[in-house]
Amino acid sequence: MSKKKLRSQDWYGRTGKDGFIYRSWMKNQGFPHHLFEGDKPVIGICNTWSELTPCNAHFRDLAEALKRGIWEAGGFPLEFPVMSLGECSVKPTAMLFRNLASMDVEESIRANPMDGVVLMCGCDKTTPSLVMGAASVDLPAIVLSGGPMLVGRYKGKKIGTSDVWRFAEDFKLGKMSQEEFIEAEAAMSRSVGHCAPMGTASTMAGMVESLGLSLPDNATIPAADSRRKVLAHMTGMRIVEMVNEDLKMSKILTRKAFENSIMVNAALGGSTNFILHLTAIAKRIGVDIDLTDFDKFSSIIPLIANVQPSGEHWVEDLFYAGGLPAVMKEIERHLHRDSITANGKSIGENIEKAECYDRNLIGTFENPIKPDSGIAVLKGNLCPNGAVIKPSAATPSLLTHMGRAVVFENIDDYKARIDSPDLDIDETCVMVMKNVGPKGYPGMPEVGNMGLPEKLLKKGIKDMVRISDGRMSGTGYGTVILHVSPESAIGGPLAFVQNGDMIELNVPARTLNLMITDEEFEKRRAIFKPLNLPYERGYVNLFLDKVNQAHDGVDFDFLQGGSGSEVKRDSH
């Protein structure tokens, strides 16, 4: 049986002028002719390295280990850059540019002579943007994450990104000086890698491992651990084999794989951002999932991983306790064990010998860290297309609550009034922020876990019910309702909330309602005026015109579904 022709040979295997052009300029890097003869699969290394993306700043070094593995397995590695989104640097929010980065990835892969691709990602949006883009092309692909940073140490205590919110409250109350704030900055970020808790970055790494897009342990090996480089080397070897096996993304990303990922995210207490990104990936690969799936498959899984912000410890600790395979082993009875993964084995085979080495870090299904986990999806007249909350990070007593609305029309209104002594608010109130959704901000920023008013912090209040059409950092916590859809800027019901309205939250019943009559609703709807969105050019204009709402993953409507890998015309 003859070996299948490599895709890269449509470039490098050409005769005459076209072949000359495709090969000759590549040879100025010192590549010998035999590399282009079709015996070695060309492996693209899609690298989101950037000094402006600190989580990914070690990727140059990691890529060298990856290349060694590709060479060893008989491949030809070629590294290329794509847009890198640094969560802590990009304004107004990295989420605004996730779709742009995915387009960069998709077109870069399709347009270039590669047979398979390794997706190097770490910081929050770099993972979904790379997976979304690659899924639209559907070549053999494998993910290599950058790994979590080592846990911070400050004044004898372990700290991580979750503590930023606590430090901010202490600073506001004068319990922490500016000098101590600066000292804590350095103490928290003390190694390469992404955030130390189960924030969005680690949630995304858990997502790709549970989907089957990476080798086992990819999600939790610390960035600074030498085993991360070993994993990179083995990932490089494996992608060559995947090309030879024609193991494309569509063979891995089945409906069963997405259901597995939802359940694993529940066991981890992962970020609510998971919903937006997994939904967008599913729509790119042609798998039908919606918000009801997140509630259905999350509700049967308790919290297994004792990792902040839902638990007490850190992703580094989770790795030493057995990593994601040990967590998955505890919920094995519910997983689709036959789902194929990037290493050619099934999920069941990958976790068959997984062990837990620390029951303080990894609970059991019968004795979990918390009984409630995952993501609860709310419906009601305030969110007809859905809203979400993470019960494991909320205050149990607030999961059933009725309170008076205190409304902030936008982020600027919130910043101007939140600490005013004249703000009419107490701990029983419900804080509401409008116009921070996909179009309203634009880009749906991580401002949903609004900081509490200074006068309530001084009373010792630590949590209140908060509602918005925005997002929350995966490192955040509290009784926070997010992703209200449709958003207020386009006339969703959140736009009609007024100060003094009563809002009823009932998480056990999965409801969120504004306690006004249908007649009053229609009266307010009739006088609503859409938000003026003053963007007339460039990418932001495209975003406002084409972006879907939160329940559809905030992707562009024209990017749903794939376009494949074929390029029919030459460049010369």
Side-chain angles (χ1 to χ4, degrees):
M1 185 175 179
S2 60
K3 188 176 181 180
K4 181 181 177 182
K5 178 186 174 183
L6 294 171
R7 178 178 181 268
S8 57
Q9 285 301 290
D10 286 337
W11 284 259
Y12 299 143
R14 303 291 290 274
T15 59
K17 178 196 67 173
D18 287 337
F20 182 104
I21 291 172
Y22 288 133
R23 293 186 301 267
S24 180
W25 275 265
M26 290 294 294
K27 290 179 179 179
N28 77 359
Q29 299 175 79
F31 296 129
H33 181 76
H34 72 269
L35 294 178
F36 302 94
E37 291 182 332
D39 294 321
K40 294 183 179 295
V42 175
I43 306 299
I45 299 175
C46 183
N47 197 337
T48 51
W49 170 87
S50 171
E51 290 180 337
L52 287 169
T53 307
C55 302
N56 301 10
H58 59 302
F59 279 16
R60 277 179 168 174
D61 194 29
L62 199 60
E64 292 307 310
L66 180 59
K67 290 177 184 178
R68 290 196 296 268
I70 294 171
W71 285 120
E72 182 181 348
F76 178 12
L78 292 173
E79 185 178 352
F80 64 98
V82 290
M83 186 178 189
S84 187
L85 301 176
E87 200 68 28
C88 56
S89 301
V90 173
K91 289 184 178 184
T93 171
M95 186 63 178
L96 177 63
F97 302 107
R98 183 202 66 178
N99 299 345
L100 177 61
S102 79
M103 294 168 72
D104 183 2
V105 172
E106 175 180 347
E107 304 304 336
S108 292
I109 293 173
R110 181 182 296 112
N112 282 288
M114 61 187 78
D115 304 297
V117 62
V118 180
L119 309 174
M120 293 189 66
C121 40
C123 193
D124 297 15
K125 306 305 176 294
T126 62
T127 300
S129 63
L130 266 60
V131 175
M132 289 161 64
S136 296
V137 184
D138 196 24
L139 290 179
I142 191 169
V143 174
L144 176 64
S145 301
M149 66 175 67
L150 299 179
V151 179
R153 301 276 180 162
Y154 176 66
K155 294 187 174 180
K157 294 182 179 180
K158 292 183 177 182
I159 64 168
T161 319
S162 298
D163 291 290
V164 172
W165 320 113
R166 300 181 181 97
F167 290 157
E169 291 177 355
D170 286 347
F171 183 72
K172 183 185 286 190
L173 295 175
K175 296 179 180 179
M176 195 173 191
S177 68
Q178 179 64 27
E179 291 74 17
E180 289 173 315
F181 222 52
I182 293 173
E183 182 183 351
E185 290 174 15
M188 186 185 81
S189 304
R190 69 185 184 96
S191 84
V192 297
H194 59 245
C195 294
M198 189 55 65
T200 302
S202 281
T203 297
M204 292 295 96
M207 177 188 75
V208 294
E209 186 172 333
S210 59
L211 282 171
L213 290 176
S214 73
L215 296 183
D217 284 324
N218 174 72
T220 57
I221 299 174
D225 194 307
S226 62
R227 286 169 285 188
R228 177 62 59 178
K229 289 185 179 179
V230 173
L231 180 75
H233 188 114
M234 302 307 292
T235 298
M237 295 183 67
R238 179 56 195 161
I239 186 58
V240 177
E241 297 170 349
M242 291 175 70
V243 171
N244 293 333
E245 297 164 7
D246 197 30
L247 183 54
K248 296 180 179 179
M249 292 184 76
S250 56
K251 296 179 181 178
I252 297 173
L253 293 180
T254 64
R255 167 76 189 196
K256 288 181 177 180
F258 285 95
E259 292 176 4
N260 281 344
S261 194
I262 293 171
M263 289 185 279
V264 172
N265 186 68
L268 292 173
S271 168
T272 49
N273 289 306
F274 169 84
I275 302 174
L276 303 173
H277 302 319
L278 193 77
T279 300
I281 293 166
K283 290 182 181 297
R284 293 289 186 102
I285 205 70
V287 172
D288 183 25
I289 65 171
D290 59 33
L291 281 180
T292 60
D293 292 310
F294 291 92
D295 204 331
K296 174 183 176 181
F297 292 103
S298 291
S299 64
I300 59 176
I301 305 296
L303 183 67
I304 300 295
N306 190 6
V307 179
Q308 292 201 27
S310 294
E312 300 172 341
H313 301 285
W314 310 93
V315 179
E316 177 189 352
D317 303 320
L318 182 61
F319 172 63
Y320 305 142
L324 193 61
V327 173
M328 295 174 71
K329 185 72 173 175
E330 295 302 329
I331 61 170
E332 182 178 16
R333 71 194 72 177
H334 290 290
L335 297 177
H336 300 291
R337 298 180 72 258
D338 59 343
S339 293
I340 196 69
T341 72
N343 67 356
K345 298 179 181 180
S346 68
I347 285 286
E349 290 173 309
N350 285 342
I351 65 174
E352 184 177 3
K353 297 181 180 179
E355 294 183 58
C356 171
Y357 307 113
D358 188 343
R359 283 300 174 197
N360 289 322
L361 265 296
I362 300 175
T364 66
F365 195 88
E366 291 74 21
N367 187 25
I369 303 304
K370 292 181 181 179
D372 295 320
S373 183
I375 290 155
V377 176
L378 310 174
K379 291 289 185 76
N381 66 7
L382 198 51
C383 51
N385 291 338
V388 303
I389 185 173
K390 183 161 70 170
S392 59
T395 301
S397 61
L398 290 176
L399 294 177
T400 303
H401 182 79
M402 183 181 289
R404 171 173 59 88
V406 175
V407 178
F408 303 97
E409 292 297 325
N410 52 47
I411 188 66
D412 300 309
D413 182 29
Y414 165 79
K415 290 180 178 179
R417 295 195 294 124
I418 188 60
D419 289 328
S420 169
D422 298 326
L423 183 67
D424 183 15
I425 192 170
D426 62 40
E427 59 269 30
T428 67
C429 292
V430 175
M431 296 170 62
V432 175
M433 189 188 297
K434 304 177 184 179
N435 297 311
V436 290
K439 295 189 178 187
Y441 198 72
M444 203 179 182
E446 294 182 339
V447 296
N449 57 326
M450 294 168 267
L452 304 188
E454 182 176 346
K455 64 182 181 182
L456 296 187
L457 291 173
K458 288 179 177 178
K459 289 177 59 178
I461 304 302
K462 298 296 184 182
D463 193 15
M464 293 173 63
V465 175
R466 288 159 275 180
I467 303 173
S468 78
D469 45 18
R471 298 181 299 117
M472 175 175 76
S473 167
T475 64
Y477 51 87
T479 311
V480 183
I481 294 94
L482 306 155
H483 310 182
V484 170
S485 181
E487 66 177 300
S488 53
I490 63 171
L494 192 68
F496 312 145
V497 181
Q498 297 177 2
N499 283 308
D501 287 344
M502 298 301 292
I503 295 176
E504 183 181 48
L505 168 67
N506 190 326
V507 175
R510 300 298 196 260
T511 59
L512 178 66
N513 286 297
L514 180 63
M515 307 306 287
I516 61 174
T517 64
D518 292 343
E519 291 76 15
E520 179 63 20
F521 242 120
E522 292 309 313
K523 179 181 176 182
R524 295 182 188 185
R525 192 189 307 275
I527 62 174
F528 169 77
K529 293 182 179 180
L531 189 68
N532 181 32
L533 303 171
Y535 296 95
E536 298 178 353
R537 66 173 300 278
Y539 171 73
V540 176
N541 186 57
L542 173 68
F543 184 94
L544 292 171
D545 187 43
K546 296 295 185 181
V547 73
N548 286 325
Q549 288 293 290
H551 67 281
D552 275 331
V554 197
D555 200 2
F556 290 156
D557 54 15
F558 63 88
L559 289 178
Q560 295 182 359
S563 300
S565 62
E566 185 179 6
V567 183
K568 295 183 178 180
R569 290 178 172 168
D570 288 303
S571 56
H572 300 90

